[in-house]
Amino acid sequence: MKLPGIWLRHEVVVEPYLGTGPSGPQYGPAAPLRAWVEEKTRLVRAPDGDEVTSSATFYTRLGPSIPPKSRVRLPSGRRTAVITTLHHDGGGLPTPDHLEVQLA
């Protein structure tokens, strides 16, 4: 089951992190994405296992690849970076499958 469109009230702009090149970090083209944004501070676990503070989270439908370190522009205009993403799949249950993206 997909995340209902009515919940996707916001638009974020994501520049996916591609890796490090000779001149520093490399990013893919900016792409708008419909999402639900929650600007709330909480403690999350980064991919390396460290606990870090997340200042915002957004939820979107499954599909886009949003790796850690990707750049994100929130509806407020604030720019931030992805800490980690969590893939939520109901395993066939009638719950909305979605991607949770924790932001610095």
Side-chain angles (χ1 to χ4, degrees), residues 21-83:
S23 60
Q26 303 292 307
Y27 298 92
L33 191 61
R34 289 182 57 201
W36 174 262
V37 177
E38 182 180 39
E39 293 202 52
K40 177 181 176 183
T41 302
R42 65 174 137 172
L43 197 59
V44 300
R45 192 163 305 275
D48 63 6
D50 287 345
E51 287 186 339
V52 296
T53 303
S54 169
S55 64
T57 303
F58 76 82
Y59 307 87
T60 191
R61 290 185 174 150
L62 296 178
S65 175
I66 306 174
K69 300 182 185 177
S70 295
R71 295 191 293 206
V72 176
R73 188 178 72 230
L74 298 174
S76 65
R78 185 168 70 90
R79 295 178 185 274
T80 186
V82 173
I83 297 170

Side-chain angles (χ1 to χ4, degrees), residues 3 25 27 37-38 49 67 75 85 87 94 98:
L3 192 63
Y27 298 92
V37 177
E38 182 180 39
T85 57
H87 180 271
H98 62 282

